[in-house]
Amino acid sequence: MPKPPSPNPSTKKNDAPAAAARNTDSGPGRVDPAAGGDMAARRMADVQQVAAAMPHNGNKALEHGFEDGTNPPAGQAVEAPSRLVGASTLSEENDSPKVGTAALDGLNATTESLDRVRVDSTGRVLTTNQGVAIADNQNSLKYGVRGPVLLEDFVLREKITHFDHERIPERIVHARGSGAHGFFECLRPQTELTMAAPFREAGKRTPVFVRFSTVAGERGSKDTARDVRGFAVKFYTEEGNWDLVGNNMPVFFIQDAMKFPDLVHAVKPEPHHQMPQAASAHDTFWDFVSLMPESTHMLMWVMSDRAIPRSFATMQGFGVHTFRLVNEQGRSVFCKFHWTPVAGTHSLVWDEAVKISGADPDFHRRDLWERIEAGNYPEYELSLQVFTEEQAERFSFDILDATKIVPEELVPLVPVGRMVLNRNPDNFFAETEQVAFCTAQVIPGIDFSNDPLLAGRIHSYVDTQISRLGGPNFHELPINAPLAQVHNNQRDGMHRQAIHRGRVAYEPNSLAGGCPFQAGAAQGFVTVPARIRAEEEQGKVRAKPEKFADHYTQARLFYESQTPVEQCHIANAFRFELSKVTVPAIRERMVASLRNASEDLALKVAQGLGMDPLPDPMPLALPDPAAPEVTKSPALSLLFRPGDGTIKGRKVALLVAPGVRAAPLLQLQQALLAQGAVGRLVGPRIGPMPTAEGDAIDADASLENEPGFLFDALVLPDGAEAIAALAQDGHTAEFIRDQFRHCKTILVFGGSRELLAQAGVPAALAKAQAQGGTGLVFADEGGEPAAAEAFLQALAKHRHFGRETDPPLA
């Protein structure tokens, strides 16, 4: 990078733009293009300029209907004010014999003549792949002529490794997974609807293997990221394997599989610096979805607490798409699949999820394993939403649109069976890692609808599995490379030859001025709109049905169906994620989109971002959408399904220290175990410690190695000596504050009120008491049994949001 000019010491200089431009995880609320500054500041101003030039996707309204599909427009593109906009790095001007110079404008050099890669070895000696001459290509390096071969023989190792290597190590999406075996049991025969084997007779059990996963993170990423969760079930039926490959959310970001690579490229770590891992709180994701208004409904789900589930055992599963059920007479109906956890739908709170990711990145995997090992088998009810084509045509939305749900008030759920996960895998790699799911794997009685996103998945899963054994870049091998220029957003994979410049690998985008953009009908390939039958009005076409253009009605339905607490969580999630975006124009574009879903939500998010005034609402692709049948659906709230009221699988921290009154703690520990919960004794250290009764109690966890946010509830003990010891340990106050902040149940025995005061909790009690349901239970000596019973009842409620504050008071 050229050296910046020397500052003039006699001139006052504003270094704020230069300082702000050096951050990659957040940015200022406004970028002043006249502020000047160094090259980094100029790039920030230029990027803001091209992004702001696209306040919305102007072609969005031209994607719907048959006529639009036969005459696509050219894509939006903005001329960048400088080459800085397209640069991956400001250091690209620093050339060398290896890296060369900066990329030439609009050139893909990999498509030039094969002279660039031809090799002639005439008169040359053998070398390693690093260019080191090989003296002996006949013998391995040994210790003596009859001795063992030495590990240091790098020539042998390179030659053999190149021969027998290599494999793509993990899935592109859903890389982070956890699995379990179990069975599906039919509740009653469903032969009037389907001939599918699992539904033929009551009581019939079909073996299953289930894989839960996150979507965006790599195989070694954390479990508690804000993300969609995969919920894939393989039914091992007598007529073959049926894979119901779904998610824990019933809708998706996009309507057509054509946009899936763009979505994944946008949400994955940014290609120029590979950050952030397993997170969507960054520019490229929000740049993409802010230009894709059909994502708004899914964003409501992802920004809700459903994206940070408490466990796999307490989250729903959905088939997402509309499928067909076919009976033996050949009659078919439409169907959507729903998995509902018997334990209820429960989640983490954001602060808790962040802290858990540091203390135990395997939190969900561990929870699933431990539940099954303890006999607390996760159980789910399978329900169907069944409706006819005639009913579907009367809906205000299109049932082929994966960004829409069919509200339960419109088509009720019909329970058809249950699934129980009762066996952990014997070998993670052999089972969980090697299992391959595919939506194309169906059995008689299950068929597809014309959902365009589903059609892409039918192909993609098999293709992805093949690529794990080979590589996607065969087109870049010299003999396959075309002479014509190649410019697309395909990236990475094995044997990638091209070195792409810039951070953007998706379309639409504004960060690269829209480039590369679609050619349109004037220059690009357009499929001939052939018809299946001559009398039909329409045939093959790249377009969406008109109802797909309603991007906000169900997003509004989801938001309006949440409780006030959940609505606050959604607003807070948008605020946090968008605060990580470095380009103000992207934030403003997203808030403009949210105004079409909820003015209340948009205002909360804008206030949290210091955005005043609100940007104008984004133009609607469908100016006059149909009136929805349902405007509020309680079933969309997590709190609608509190579960069976049990506390199975919960973990409770019982704090102990030398001099503790052990009797009430041990009695409570027994009561927890009897109800399927685990009470762990947590002390300043692990190991035995004397009690007030003259015995010893053995702590199996410490305040240091098991922080408070790993537990579902907290019990503070009695005993003056123990309380004094806990008060001297700074972890105790952190433990209490996290439990209080995360709205968990807290039982306070006797003098432990002092520990609450030390942690600053009493100052926060006024609001909680005013709203009721504090989840705080106090017990004096003699009243422990009644208090313990009240604690168990409060624990069954999971959270006590009446004491939640933003920002936290304690």
Side-chain angles (χ1 to χ4, degrees):
M1 184 173 68
K3 294 178 64 176
S6 301
N8 183 346
S10 64
T11 304
K12 290 185 177 181
K13 183 181 177 184
N14 181 8
D15 289 327
R22 281 157 171 73
N23 298 308
T24 60
D25 68 342
S26 65
R30 293 284 186 272
V31 174
D32 182 3
D38 60 8
M39 191 178 295
R42 293 201 303 274
R43 178 171 64 172
M44 173 180 278
D46 289 352
V47 170
Q48 166 67 8
Q49 181 178 331
V50 296
M54 285 191 194
H56 66 279
N57 187 345
N59 284 345
K60 201 65 197 174
L62 302 178
E63 297 177 1
H64 308 85
F66 189 78
E67 292 303 319
D68 286 345
T70 60
N71 188 34
Q76 285 183 277
V78 177
E79 184 176 354
S82 73
R83 281 177 52 85
L84 293 173
V85 172
S88 299
T89 168
L90 294 177
S91 64
E92 67 177 2
E93 299 296 335
N94 297 332
D95 60 2
S96 76
K98 176 62 178 176
V99 302
T101 59
L104 299 178
D105 287 339
L107 177 68
N108 181 346
T110 67
T111 61
E112 294 180 353
S113 146
L114 295 183
D115 289 342
R116 66 185 173 85
V117 291
R118 286 196 175 99
V119 177
D120 182 5
S121 297
T122 302
R124 299 291 183 175
V125 301
L126 280 170
T127 71
T128 69
N129 286 334
Q130 310 305 317
V132 178
I134 298 174
D136 185 341
N137 191 46
Q138 317 307 319
N139 303 290
S140 303
L141 182 65
K142 300 181 287 292
Y143 188 74
V145 295
R146 301 185 67 250
V149 174
L150 299 180
L151 186 62
E152 71 180 73
D153 190 349
F154 66 91
V155 178
L156 170 69
R157 286 191 289 112
E158 181 193 87
K159 188 174 183 179
I160 295 297
T161 299
H162 196 279
F163 174 73
D164 60 19
H165 230 37
E166 64 182 72
R167 297 292 184 266
I168 291 178
E170 64 178 33
R171 293 164 172 86
I172 297 172
V173 290
H174 296 277
R176 172 74 180 177
S178 305
H181 294 276
F183 63 84
F184 172 79
E185 183 177 17
C186 182
L187 183 63
R188 61 182 66 86
Q190 301 296 322
T191 50
E192 74 279 9
L193 296 176
T194 178
M195 67 180 86
F199 307 114
R200 286 182 180 167
E201 57 188 80
K204 180 177 182 178
R205 290 189 173 185
T206 302
V208 299
F209 186 84
V210 179
R211 187 176 186 270
F212 304 103
S213 57
T214 54
V215 174
E218 296 173 357
R219 193 170 67 181
S221 59
K222 59 193 178 186
D223 273 350
T224 56
R226 176 179 294 281
D227 199 358
V228 186
R229 298 303 189 281
F231 195 128
V233 183
K234 185 180 290 291
F235 294 78
Y236 298 95
T237 84
E238 63 270 27
E239 294 187 355
N241 288 354
W242 168 36
D243 290 354
L244 182 54
V245 192
N247 291 327
N248 72 328
M249 300 178 189
V251 291
F252 204 60
F253 294 94
I254 54 176
Q255 298 169 322
D256 193 301
M258 181 67 80
K259 302 309 298 175
F260 190 74
D262 295 299
L263 168 67
V264 176
H265 286 161
V267 76
K268 283 283 191 175
E270 297 193 7
H272 60 310
H273 57 32
Q274 276 294 293
M275 294 185 287
Q277 170 61 232
S280 58
H282 59 106
D283 288 19
T284 56
F285 172 74
W286 289 96
D287 181 35
F288 176 76
V289 295
S290 68
L291 292 167
M292 300 289 289
E294 60 264 49
S295 300
T296 312
H297 188 193
M298 182 62 172
L299 289 173
M300 294 293 182
W301 290 78
V302 178
M303 294 301 109
S304 78
D305 294 345
R306 290 176 181 269
I308 42 175
R310 163 61 179 84
S311 68
F312 296 135
T314 60
M315 74 178 191
Q316 289 177 278
F318 303 90
V320 179
H321 307 285
T322 299
F323 291 83
R324 287 185 181 271
L325 300 179
V326 186
N327 64 16
E328 290 185 347
Q329 291 73 43
R331 293 192 296 271
S332 72
V333 291
F334 286 132
C335 172
K336 282 183 172 285
F337 297 97
H338 296 247
W339 295 107
T340 302
V342 172
T345 51
H346 302 293
S347 67
L348 303 171
V349 294
W350 176 242
D351 185 70
E352 176 186 22
V354 170
K355 290 177 176 176
I356 289 174
S357 70
D360 187 3
D362 303 306
F363 186 69
H364 287 153
R365 179 175 291 176
R366 191 183 316 281
D367 180 272
L368 179 65
W369 181 275
E370 291 180 351
R371 284 176 188 260
I372 295 175
E373 290 295 288
N376 295 319
Y377 302 137
E379 182 175 339
Y380 308 83
E381 181 183 75
L382 178 63
S383 298
L384 308 179
Q385 277 184 306
V386 178
F387 48 97
T388 65
E389 292 191 41
E390 291 75 17
Q391 287 176 294
E393 290 176 357
R394 293 194 296 268
F395 295 160
S396 66
F397 51 90
D398 197 317
I399 55 94
L400 302 182
D401 183 353
T403 70
K404 307 293 196 300
I405 63 168
V406 178
E408 294 180 30
E409 292 79 358
L410 199 59
V411 180
L413 301 187
V414 179
V416 296
R418 69 183 185 121
M419 180 173 68
V420 178
L421 304 182
N422 60 4
R423 177 163 179 167
N424 281 315
D426 290 304
N427 184 278
F428 182 89
F429 177 82
E431 297 166 83
T432 304
E433 192 59 27
Q434 291 195 140
V435 65
F437 294 92
C438 180
T439 51
Q441 292 171 192
V442 295
I443 56 176
I446 310 293
D447 208 341
F448 310 114
S449 69
N450 289 337
D451 181 330
L453 181 60
L454 174 59
R457 295 182 70 201
I458 290 170
H459 160 77
S460 175
Y461 282 60
V462 171
D463 189 58
T464 300
Q465 291 153 15
I466 293 173
S467 74
R468 294 184 76 198
L469 301 176
N473 289 319
F474 61 91
H475 63 280
E476 286 197 345
L477 296 174
I479 196 63
N480 294 324
L483 292 178
Q485 284 285 297
V486 173
H487 293 284
N488 55 44
N489 291 314
Q490 298 174 19
R491 295 289 188 271
D492 305 338
M494 292 178 63
H495 312 307
R496 169 58 75 178
Q497 303 297 305
I499 301 175
H500 292 93
R501 180 174 180 267
R503 69 194 295 195
V504 168
Y506 54 92
E507 184 277 330
N509 71 75
S510 67
L511 292 176
C515 300
F517 53 92
Q518 69 183 34
Q523 301 181 63
F525 175 86
V526 177
T527 302
V528 176
R531 291 156 174 76
I532 298 175
R533 289 186 293 272
E535 66 272 16
E536 292 183 342
E537 294 182 2
Q538 298 184 1
K540 292 186 293 184
V541 67
R542 293 183 186 273
K544 303 180 182 73
E546 282 77 3
K547 286 183 181 179
F548 276 43
D550 179 7
H551 302 136
Y552 298 104
T553 297
Q554 291 208 351
R556 185 181 305 110
L557 168 64
F558 181 85
Y559 183 74
E560 295 299 334
S561 299
Q562 305 302 298
T563 63
V565 165
E566 292 170 305
Q567 288 180 343
C568 285
H569 289 177
I570 292 172
N572 294 346
F574 273 107
R575 179 190 68 200
F576 171 79
E577 298 253 338
L578 291 174
S579 73
K580 303 289 278 186
V581 170
T582 63
V583 182
I586 295 176
R587 296 192 200 117
E588 293 167 6
R589 189 190 307 143
M590 195 61 238
V591 172
S593 181
L594 289 178
R595 291 194 67 180
N596 292 324
S598 169
E599 280 288 330
D600 173 68
L601 175 60
L603 182 60
K604 288 179 180 176
V605 175
Q607 289 174 339
L609 296 172
M611 190 181 297
D612 185 28
L614 284 176
D616 293 336
M618 185 172 289
L620 298 176
L622 184 65
D624 189 22
E629 299 89 344
V630 179
T631 58
K632 192 169 186 178
S633 174
L636 297 178
S637 167
L638 278 173
L639 303 182
F640 179 76
R641 293 179 173 86
D644 54 10
T646 67
I647 60 173
K648 292 180 180 178
R650 304 288 176 86
K651 288 186 178 181
V652 179
L654 294 85
L655 299 197
V656 296
V660 67
R661 284 189 62 231
L665 295 180
L666 296 176
Q667 292 169 2
L668 180 59
Q669 189 178 45
Q670 291 177 352
L672 288 167
L673 284 173
Q675 296 192 30
V678 176
R680 298 197 67 179
L681 300 177
V682 183
R685 55 164 175 78
I686 60 173
M689 52 192 68
T691 69
E693 294 90 343
D695 299 319
I697 194 169
D698 199 349
D700 64 329
S702 72
L703 296 167
E704 177 186 34
N705 72 12
E706 291 287 323
F709 46 80
L710 295 178
F711 295 91
D712 295 296
L714 170 65
V715 178
L716 298 176
D718 199 6
E721 183 183 349
I723 293 170
L726 290 171
Q728 294 300 311
D729 191 323
H731 292 105
T732 303
E734 294 175 3
F735 213 109
I736 295 171
R737 280 194 292 268
D738 281 335
Q739 285 278 317
F740 183 83
R741 179 181 297 179
H742 300 159
C743 304
K744 296 177 180 179
T745 307
I746 301 176
L747 173 58
V748 183
F749 282 122
S752 277
R753 286 180 172 86
E754 297 176 14
L755 297 177
L756 284 182
Q758 186 182 43
V761 167
L765 286 179
K767 173 186 178 291
Q769 291 170 341
Q771 296 191 15
T774 65
L776 291 170
V777 180
F778 296 92
D780 294 316
E781 188 170 358
E784 288 97 341
E789 181 61 31
F791 170 76
L792 294 175
Q793 293 176 4
L795 177 59
K797 295 179 180 179
H798 195 67
R799 305 268 183 196
H800 305 276
F801 287 115
R803 67 173 190 245
E804 186 176 47
T805 60
D806 181 33
L809 295 178

